[in-house]
Amino acid sequence: MAQAFAAMFEDRALQARLERLERELETGLTQLRRDFHRHPETMFDVERTAAKVAGQLRAYGLEVEEGVGKHFGKGVVGTLRGGRPGRTILLRADMDALPIREQNDVPYRSGVDGVMHACGHDAHMAMLLGAARVLSECRSELAGTIKFAFQPAEEGALEAEDGSMVSGGRDMIEAGLLDGVDLCFALHAWPELPFGTVGVHRAYAMAASTHFRVAFKGVSGHHGTPHLAVDALLMAAQFVTETKVAMASEIDPLEPGVLSFGTLRAGTALNAIAESSEITGSYRVFEEATVLRVRDAIERRAAAIAASFGGGCETRFRLGTALKNDGKAAELALAAGAAVFGAERAMPLEQPSLAGEDFALYLKQVPGAFAFLGSGTDSHRHPLHHPRFDIDERLLLKGAKLHVRFVLEASKRYNLA
């Protein structure tokens, strides 16, 4: 393991420096990850996390920009300029945690009740900071520019002042994050793959995850005089059934797709007809045309149901984008994985996930790839978003190595022509 980074370069003095760094990183990355884990922050409310990231990047001698984002301004970008001209490569990590109460009994347990890093973003930040440390130590030997992007709000979106639903990726991209970028990469801890493996899709990796909210407006009334009221709760119940029918009848049965509801809120008293109701949920498909088709079906059914009851409705969507890797960048990512883990542990993946990722917005504009870093072990087997999700911290150094290798493989392999 001590030669893992060193083998990437021929200069012996540089090799010695990288061997020393690897020994230091094993402890340092664990400390960073645990600090992030103890202090989780959700969505765009990542002030402490962003400040910690920015401080680390400055300590490595990088140019740092804070407050990146057109609408919410919570992203952090570190820029490392190599010793000679070359491509601009962006590496991305996500910063936000989830509104989940942690059930792990560990020394680094979340100190914020009801909030935890249940999706590995604490590990992703530590991995990318480790890569920034390594690459900063050998900047004179690097070609081009490397941008380290730390993004808030990967787990969802908020309504901006202009009424649009904005995720962290969209917020940073609309502020110019991808201007001049030639290639981009990201990774995700993935308990469905064995520990110490990496999987990469050659095309579709994740679905377009669209979030929706439907609000029905009725007229409140007494249960004894239902004819004088308009039941918003009943409208919501019928909408749930009708929308499930729409998914079965309006989508090509050979195309993957799933729709699920997350919340239903209605009513204030057990003997009063609900004046209003609200349903939230998501649907996951792959083709852009199908994203729009399902949206239209939801809007039509909501409007028809509201009209049939004599009520009203309002719909709001954050349309998803499928995560689709660039073919050449996917091969580069597999080569990077083989260099770090061994050829037999770098696996092309065939079946995409129905989970969603707003790194899809990056890949829609810039060629790149998203890799799944195997984190599954007998003792760390809980799925993402589970209150007992955790990682084997040996994964941190592996992820840092993979980020470094993305950069080095891109420098020598990728032909932009």
PDB file of all heavy atoms in Angstrom, residues 48-60:
ATOM      1  N   ARG A  48     -21.029  25.495   8.897  1.00  0.00           N
ATOM      2  CA  ARG A  48     -19.872  24.949   9.599  1.00  0.00           C
ATOM      3  C   ARG A  48     -19.083  24.001   8.697  1.00  0.00           C
ATOM      4  O   ARG A  48     -17.856  24.045   8.640  1.00  0.00           O
ATOM      5  CB  ARG A  48     -20.307  24.187  10.862  1.00  0.00           C
ATOM      6  CG  ARG A  48     -19.110  23.647  11.653  1.00  0.00           C
ATOM      7  CD  ARG A  48     -19.501  22.658  12.727  1.00  0.00           C
ATOM      8  NE  ARG A  48     -18.333  22.273  13.519  1.00  0.00           N
ATOM      9  CZ  ARG A  48     -17.452  21.351  13.158  1.00  0.00           C
ATOM     10  NH1 ARG A  48     -17.607  20.715  12.006  1.00  0.00           N
ATOM     11  NH2 ARG A  48     -16.415  21.065  13.940  1.00  0.00           N
ATOM     12  N   THR A  49     -19.802  23.131   7.993  1.00  0.00           N
ATOM     13  CA  THR A  49     -19.143  22.173   7.111  1.00  0.00           C
ATOM     14  C   THR A  49     -18.348  22.889   6.031  1.00  0.00           C
ATOM     15  O   THR A  49     -17.182  22.554   5.772  1.00  0.00           O
ATOM     16  CB  THR A  49     -20.187  21.251   6.466  1.00  0.00           C
ATOM     17  OG1 THR A  49     -20.959  20.613   7.489  1.00  0.00           O
ATOM     18  CG2 THR A  49     -19.521  20.198   5.605  1.00  0.00           C
ATOM     19  N   ALA A  50     -18.950  23.865   5.387  1.00  0.00           N
ATOM     20  CA  ALA A  50     -18.280  24.591   4.304  1.00  0.00           C
ATOM     21  C   ALA A  50     -17.048  25.323   4.824  1.00  0.00           C
ATOM     22  O   ALA A  50     -16.005  25.367   4.162  1.00  0.00           O
ATOM     23  CB  ALA A  50     -19.248  25.570   3.655  1.00  0.00           C
ATOM     24  N   ALA A  51     -17.152  25.913   6.016  1.00  0.00           N
ATOM     25  CA  ALA A  51     -16.005  26.623   6.588  1.00  0.00           C
ATOM     26  C   ALA A  51     -14.862  25.651   6.889  1.00  0.00           C
ATOM     27  O   ALA A  51     -13.685  25.977   6.678  1.00  0.00           O
ATOM     28  CB  ALA A  51     -16.429  27.355   7.860  1.00  0.00           C
ATOM     29  N   LYS A  52     -15.193  24.472   7.388  1.00  0.00           N
ATOM     30  CA  LYS A  52     -14.175  23.456   7.667  1.00  0.00           C
ATOM     31  C   LYS A  52     -13.478  23.032   6.381  1.00  0.00           C
ATOM     32  O   LYS A  52     -12.249  22.932   6.322  1.00  0.00           O
ATOM     33  CB  LYS A  52     -14.836  22.249   8.327  1.00  0.00           C
ATOM     34  CG  LYS A  52     -13.905  21.083   8.628  1.00  0.00           C
ATOM     35  CD  LYS A  52     -13.107  21.305   9.878  1.00  0.00           C
ATOM     36  CE  LYS A  52     -12.311  20.073  10.253  1.00  0.00           C
ATOM     37  NZ  LYS A  52     -11.539  20.247  11.506  1.00  0.00           N
ATOM     38  N   VAL A  53     -14.245  22.787   5.349  1.00  0.00           N
ATOM     39  CA  VAL A  53     -13.683  22.396   4.051  1.00  0.00           C
ATOM     40  C   VAL A  53     -12.773  23.495   3.510  1.00  0.00           C
ATOM     41  O   VAL A  53     -11.644  23.240   3.069  1.00  0.00           O
ATOM     42  CB  VAL A  53     -14.819  22.089   3.051  1.00  0.00           C
ATOM     43  CG1 VAL A  53     -14.287  22.025   1.631  1.00  0.00           C
ATOM     44  CG2 VAL A  53     -15.508  20.774   3.415  1.00  0.00           C
ATOM     45  N   ALA A  54     -13.262  24.719   3.526  1.00  0.00           N
ATOM     46  CA  ALA A  54     -12.472  25.836   3.005  1.00  0.00           C
ATOM     47  C   ALA A  54     -11.163  25.989   3.770  1.00  0.00           C
ATOM     48  O   ALA A  54     -10.100  26.248   3.170  1.00  0.00           O
ATOM     49  CB  ALA A  54     -13.291  27.129   3.074  1.00  0.00           C
ATOM     50  N   GLY A  55     -11.208  25.833   5.088  1.00  0.00           N
ATOM     51  CA  GLY A  55      -9.992  25.938   5.885  1.00  0.00           C
ATOM     52  C   GLY A  55      -8.970  24.878   5.533  1.00  0.00           C
ATOM     53  O   GLY A  55      -7.759  25.156   5.455  1.00  0.00           O
ATOM     54  N   GLN A  56      -9.432  23.662   5.294  1.00  0.00           N
ATOM     55  CA  GLN A  56      -8.518  22.588   4.907  1.00  0.00           C
ATOM     56  C   GLN A  56      -7.889  22.866   3.543  1.00  0.00           C
ATOM     57  O   GLN A  56      -6.683  22.691   3.354  1.00  0.00           O
ATOM     58  CB  GLN A  56      -9.264  21.252   4.861  1.00  0.00           C
ATOM     59  CG  GLN A  56      -9.702  20.726   6.219  1.00  0.00           C
ATOM     60  CD  GLN A  56      -8.522  20.360   7.113  1.00  0.00           C
ATOM     61  OE1 GLN A  56      -8.460  20.762   8.277  1.00  0.00           O
ATOM     62  NE2 GLN A  56      -7.578  19.620   6.581  1.00  0.00           N
ATOM     63  N   LEU A  57      -8.689  23.305   2.611  1.00  0.00           N
ATOM     64  CA  LEU A  57      -8.170  23.589   1.261  1.00  0.00           C
ATOM     65  C   LEU A  57      -7.123  24.700   1.306  1.00  0.00           C
ATOM     66  O   LEU A  57      -6.101  24.633   0.620  1.00  0.00           O
ATOM     67  CB  LEU A  57      -9.317  23.959   0.326  1.00  0.00           C
ATOM     68  CG  LEU A  57     -10.324  22.847   0.006  1.00  0.00           C
ATOM     69  CD1 LEU A  57     -11.505  23.403  -0.779  1.00  0.00           C
ATOM     70  CD2 LEU A  57      -9.649  21.721  -0.794  1.00  0.00           C
ATOM     71  N   ARG A  58      -7.379  25.725   2.107  1.00  0.00           N
ATOM     72  CA  ARG A  58      -6.394  26.806   2.238  1.00  0.00           C
ATOM     73  C   ARG A  58      -5.105  26.291   2.874  1.00  0.00           C
ATOM     74  O   ARG A  58      -4.003  26.706   2.493  1.00  0.00           O
ATOM     75  CB  ARG A  58      -6.970  27.948   3.061  1.00  0.00           C
ATOM     76  CG  ARG A  58      -8.025  28.758   2.341  1.00  0.00           C
ATOM     77  CD  ARG A  58      -8.327  30.073   3.036  1.00  0.00           C
ATOM     78  NE  ARG A  58      -9.297  30.834   2.270  1.00  0.00           N
ATOM     79  CZ  ARG A  58     -10.603  30.820   2.503  1.00  0.00           C
ATOM     80  NH1 ARG A  58     -11.087  30.081   3.497  1.00  0.00           N
ATOM     81  NH2 ARG A  58     -11.430  31.514   1.750  1.00  0.00           N
ATOM     82  N   ALA A  59      -5.239  25.386   3.825  1.00  0.00           N
ATOM     83  CA  ALA A  59      -4.053  24.823   4.463  1.00  0.00           C
ATOM     84  C   ALA A  59      -3.193  24.045   3.470  1.00  0.00           C
ATOM     85  O   ALA A  59      -1.979  23.933   3.656  1.00  0.00           O
ATOM     86  CB  ALA A  59      -4.470  23.910   5.618  1.00  0.00           C
ATOM     87  N   TYR A  60      -3.803  23.530   2.413  1.00  0.00           N
ATOM     88  CA  TYR A  60      -3.058  22.812   1.381  1.00  0.00           C
ATOM     89  C   TYR A  60      -2.501  23.755   0.313  1.00  0.00           C
ATOM     90  O   TYR A  60      -1.878  23.307  -0.646  1.00  0.00           O
ATOM     91  CB  TYR A  60      -3.951  21.774   0.698  1.00  0.00           C
ATOM     92  CG  TYR A  60      -4.609  20.784   1.631  1.00  0.00           C
ATOM     93  CD1 TYR A  60      -5.827  20.203   1.291  1.00  0.00           C
ATOM     94  CD2 TYR A  60      -4.030  20.430   2.851  1.00  0.00           C
ATOM     95  CE1 TYR A  60      -6.453  19.301   2.135  1.00  0.00           C
ATOM     96  CE2 TYR A  60      -4.654  19.526   3.704  1.00  0.00           C
ATOM     97  CZ  TYR A  60      -5.865  18.967   3.342  1.00  0.00           C
ATOM     98  OH  TYR A  60      -6.487  18.070   4.179  1.00  0.00           O
TER      99      TYR A  60
END
